Amino acid sequence: MALLSKLPNRIAGGSRICNLARCSRSQNKTNINRTFANNANSTPLLHTPLYDLHLAHGASMHPFAGFSMPITYETQSIIESNKWVRSQAGLFDVSHMVQHIFTGKDVTTFLERITPTDVRELAPYSGVYSMFLNNNGGIVDDIIITKHTDDKYYIVTNAACRAGDLAFLEEQKKLHGRSDIGHEILEEWGLLALQGPRAAEALQGLTDFDLTQLKFGNVGLVPVKGSKYWVSRSGYTGEDGFEISVPKEETLGFTERLLGESNSVVKLAGLGVRDALRLEAGLCLYGQDLDEITTPIQASLSWVVGKRRRLEGGFNGYEVIAEELKNGTSRRRVGFLSDGPPAREGSKIYEKAGVKLIGVVTSGLPSPTVGRNIAMGYVEKSFMKRGTEVLFDIRSRKRPGTVAKIPFVPPNYYR
Amino acid sequence: MSYQKNILMASTRLAAVRSRLPVAARSAKFVPLLSNRFYSKPTPKTIAPLFTVRRTAPSTSLFNVLGRRSYINSNDEETPEGLRYTEEHEWLALEDGNLAVIGITGYASKALGDVVYVELPSVGASIVAGEPIGAVESVKSASDIYSPVSGEIIEVNEQLDKKPGLVNAEPYRRGWICKILIKDTTELESMMDNNRYQTFIASS
């Protein structure tokens, strides 16, 4: 679990929503001419509070979810940055993500209606990976719910899902008579993800707050130079780390302090390496690995459904999910390892004789940490066993791969 | 809780990508990318037929990884003179008569990032201008390599199987992709010279 910062494998613009069941693209392909056409026709890109800092650090900026976001920085390649985050500390600007505050006496009940999480029993000042569900049990968005108190929650959702989420929340509030729930979005706030085995050391240098008190999933109000920021011990890389919510005006100053001297253990890391890190950690990207016709059970995320919730139900899509928990699903998300050319989003998966189509890859790339190609995708139930040999269709040629354990890189959380 | 963690080792293949070759290694076997007399007088009436073909191809290109930042002169390797370029960021050098060497440009290789796999065409294959003949894979993307010309693949750079990073380190020399026996040299006339290519990437 972690705060979900998401980025496209396809860095270019356009809709990333791929219907997993019907995805027919054989390759993960875009064309910059089309991308530019899209940009020309759409509204100007938004900037995070760190836009100028990214440019000053030689970032390659690309459109993502309506924002101009850093994909790489000129000082490190993606492979170098990957190794840096897994051994030192990387700082990601994830301010494009949507930070919500929900308040009111009925909030807990409302969140238990729209998510499968045991929100009631969630400890104060702790957060958990969850998802908004529709009535069919499909995933509207994957989110992090953080409870401050029983009547105040902080939730982070995906930037690319913003409009859909807001419409969904409005509709659900009306549907369930919860119109009095307070809902505020922290517009233009900064959200920073400091990730890596030396993240704690770097952040500890800026505060008197004893960070060893914060275990994975905990949040605390951490004083930093006259201000106090909500810091959660989480992230989306599989490493120890923090996500820090900072008011717009203070984001640049705080970031510069974190980056410190040029020989600091903290280096800026872009969304390009973030995609590799999250996939290595087996974490899903909404729009690629998850979508509205996929249930948490199909996505191999059944752990998200709380024990009490499985028995009591009372959330959107419960009937579908309970049935799937009992009888299984026709398709499941699994991991793959391969060598040679990597299977990427959209590659079709065949059984090893190469005739029968059994699924599709939803994310894939050459893993800098593993040193092999890693991928996730959905396959028919009978092919989900670890070690099953499959074939990927890559540029119209069939190439071998094997169903493998997720995550590909063991997590390094601070528990 | 220890904040130390060993760096997980990547494979030799990936590690090789990161290494930058010594300057001495740049003396490649076909080093003198000949300046090309052929191009000095492009025929004005020729209208690039191969780009017409290409725009209909529903495919990626080296384009898809380029951001708004300029990468001009970002590569350490000096750009040889006399090359011809495509809008898909391939370069072509005439080695001898109608034998051409092709590769991807320094601009493209920089934008791709660490190349970890190069898919090479088959020797002897007949190819058509504008059609994909291989691909370059980095962590973040796969990009097709399009042939700028029609003809036959005479030789491929097998070194790239073991050292795909040569495409980053020496895109114009040891990172060449393949050699093509050109069928119709008039196809060259639609390609850009260095000046036009520089203008093209500055405006894209």
Side-chain angles (χ1 to χ4, degrees):
Chain A
M1 88 135 240
L3 276 210
L4 344 134
S5 211
K6 307 312 188 96
L7 65 126
N9 205 1
R10 288 181 290 141
I11 280 157
S15 165
R16 293 183 304 103
I17 309 304
C18 164
N19 183 322
L20 299 181
R22 289 185 281 112
C23 190
S24 61
R25 277 175 298 119
S26 64
Q27 275 295 305
N28 164 25
K29 294 204 162 177
T30 48
N31 180 305
I32 204 149
N33 295 324
R34 209 162 67 222
T35 307
F36 282 178
N38 283 352
N39 294 347
N41 293 339
S42 56
T43 48
L45 293 172
L46 301 170
H47 292 174
T48 74
L50 297 179
Y51 179 79
D52 292 338
L53 178 122
H54 296 315
L55 292 186
H57 281 79
S60 172
M61 307 294 287
H62 288 256
F64 179 64
F67 284 80
S68 177
M69 297 301 290
I71 303 302
T72 52
Y73 297 89
E74 65 185 2
T75 47
Q76 284 189 320
S77 71
I78 288 183
I79 292 176
E80 289 163 343
S81 185
N82 182 288
K83 289 179 189 310
W84 189 268
V85 176
R86 295 234 181 271
S87 61
Q88 310 287 327
L91 185 63
F92 301 85
D93 178 11
V94 290
S95 308
H96 60 304
M97 300 192 75
V98 188
Q99 305 179 63
H100 310 250
I101 303 283
F102 288 88
T103 50
K105 63 179 172 52
D106 297 325
V107 177
T108 304
T109 315
F110 179 61
L111 292 177
E112 288 220 331
R113 164 47 62 183
I114 61 176
T115 76
T117 298
D118 192 341
V119 183
R120 201 175 75 193
E121 297 303 319
L122 186 62
Y125 304 107
S126 65
V128 67
Y129 179 75
S130 181
M131 45 199 47
F132 293 144
L133 294 178
N134 63 28
N135 283 335
N136 303 318
I139 302 167
V140 176
D141 195 3
D142 64 341
I143 66 177
I144 295 289
I145 300 178
T146 300
K147 180 187 277 191
H148 286 185
T149 56
D150 283 331
D151 55 7
K152 187 183 174 199
Y153 291 83
Y154 167 76
I155 293 181
V156 178
T157 63
N158 283 301
C161 297
R162 182 183 168 118
D165 286 347
L166 294 183
F168 169 81
L169 289 167
E170 272 316 300
E171 173 206 275
Q172 294 290 316
K173 279 205 283 188
K174 275 199 195 114
L175 202 59
H176 303 294
R178 305 288 176 193
S179 300
D180 53 338
I181 284 173
H183 177 206
E184 180 197 352
I185 293 177
L186 303 181
E187 298 287 7
E188 297 184 48
W189 274 49
L191 186 62
L192 300 169
L194 178 64
Q195 299 283 293
R198 298 185 74 180
E201 170 194 327
L203 185 58
Q204 192 65 76
L206 300 183
T207 180
D208 296 332
F209 187 102
D210 177 10
L211 293 173
T212 60
Q213 288 176 20
L214 291 184
K215 309 290 186 206
F216 184 71
N218 295 159
V219 300
L221 195 54
V222 172
V224 178
K225 209 188 173 191
S227 299
K228 283 188 172 182
Y229 305 135
W230 283 107
V231 171
S232 87
R233 194 142 200 168
S234 62
Y236 216 62
T237 61
E239 292 299 325
D240 182 25
F242 304 89
E243 298 215 345
I244 307 146
S245 175
V246 187
K248 181 186 177 185
E249 308 72 40
E250 298 175 26
T251 306
L252 180 61
F254 176 67
T255 303
E256 284 172 340
R257 279 198 291 285
L258 263 181
L259 290 172
E261 307 297 317
S262 58
N263 60 357
S264 157
V265 300
V266 181
K267 281 192 195 299
L268 286 166
L271 296 190
V273 70
R274 194 170 175 81
D275 195 38
L277 291 161
R278 68 94 192 162
L279 184 54
E280 289 179 342
L283 302 169
C284 292
L285 170 59
Y286 194 87
Q288 281 184 201
D289 309 308
L290 306 175
D291 63 16
E292 293 202 1
I293 62 157
T294 301
T295 68
I297 315 307
Q298 292 163 17
S300 301
L301 295 169
S302 46
W303 59 269
V304 167
V305 188
K307 250 184 206 157
R308 177 177 62 84
R309 310 302 316 276
R310 292 178 190 213
L311 298 172
E312 295 178 6
F315 58 89
N316 291 350
Y318 172 65
E319 295 72 20
V320 175
I321 285 171
E323 208 277 326
E324 287 186 345
L325 280 170
K326 194 174 158 204
N327 298 320
T329 64
S330 57
R331 61 184 193 123
R332 281 282 296 274
R333 179 176 65 96
V334 295
F336 303 96
L337 284 168
S338 71
D339 298 297
R344 298 181 191 264
E345 182 198 0
S347 289
K348 288 177 184 163
I349 307 169
Y350 292 84
E351 44 73 59
K352 71 174 174 182
V355 180
K356 189 180 178 222
L357 181 66
I358 56 167
V360 64
V361 171
T362 52
S363 287
L365 46 72
S367 162
T369 308
V370 178
R372 301 184 67 192
N373 301 318
I374 58 172
M376 302 198 293
Y378 286 79
V379 291
E380 290 178 13
K381 191 163 75 175
S382 49
F383 296 92
M384 59 178 283
K385 209 175 141 207
R386 210 173 291 170
T388 304
E389 291 170 42
V390 299
L391 292 173
F392 301 117
D393 186 333
I394 302 168
R395 291 184 286 275
S396 303
R397 260 195 259 167
K398 303 229 168 55
R399 334 256 182 161
T402 313
V403 175
K405 179 173 160 273
I406 290 177
F408 302 101
V409 173
N412 189 30
Y413 301 134
Y414 182 68
R415 296 190 190 271
Chain B
M1 165 68 189
S2 158
Y3 294 123
Q4 304 301 322
K5 183 183 171 194
N6 290 332
I7 301 174
L8 295 161
M9 294 302 293
S11 73
T12 343
R13 182 167 64 85
L14 285 164
V17 168
R18 301 181 58 201
S19 64
R20 291 289 180 267
L21 293 155
V23 175
R26 289 179 187 170
S27 49
K29 58 178 175 180
F30 72 102
V31 164
L33 289 168
L34 301 177
S35 64
N36 184 0
R37 300 162 306 277
F38 189 91
Y39 293 122
S40 52
K41 287 169 191 163
T43 317
K45 67 180 178 185
T46 309
I47 294 163
L50 85 162
F51 292 137
T52 314
V53 172
R54 178 160 304 151
R55 287 201 183 99
T56 63
S59 192
T60 203
S61 72
L62 294 166
F63 270 142
N64 73 340
V65 294
L66 306 179
R68 62 177 295 285
R69 246 183 73 75
S70 165
Y71 282 98
I72 297 170
N73 298 328
S74 58
N75 205 283
D76 299 340
E77 192 188 39
E78 204 176 300
T79 309
E81 289 187 14
L83 301 185
R84 290 281 144 164
Y85 301 87
T86 68
E87 291 188 6
E88 311 285 348
H89 306 285
E90 289 91 15
W91 57 258
L92 178 150
L94 267 196
E95 210 176 38
D96 180 28
N98 54 354
L99 182 63
V101 184
I102 72 160
I104 71 167
T105 67
Y107 172 79
S109 82
K110 174 78 179 179
L112 277 167
D114 299 313
V115 172
V116 296
Y117 185 84
V118 181
E119 181 142 51
L120 296 165
S122 309
V123 172
S126 285
I127 52 168
V128 177
E131 297 288 312
I133 53 168
V136 187
E137 305 255 12
S138 66
V139 174
K140 68 182 171 186
S141 64
S143 297
D144 285 341
I145 305 164
Y146 297 97
S147 179
V149 288
S150 303
E152 186 189 335
I153 304 285
I154 296 300
E155 191 182 342
V156 298
N157 185 359
E158 284 169 1
Q159 270 208 306
L160 299 179
D161 285 339
K162 291 224 168 79
K163 295 184 175 176
L166 287 173
V167 171
N168 297 111
E170 300 183 39
Y172 301 106
R173 291 184 172 79
R174 295 212 299 158
W176 62 281
I177 303 289
C178 64
K179 296 185 185 179
I180 299 171
L181 194 62
I182 304 175
K183 197 163 139 192
D184 174 7
T185 49
T186 61
E187 283 179 341
L188 297 170
E189 292 164 17
S190 59
M191 296 183 75
M192 292 179 275
D193 63 13
N194 189 48
N195 282 345
R196 273 175 62 202
Y197 179 66
Q198 294 303 327
T199 310
F200 170 72
I201 56 182
S203 67
S204 57

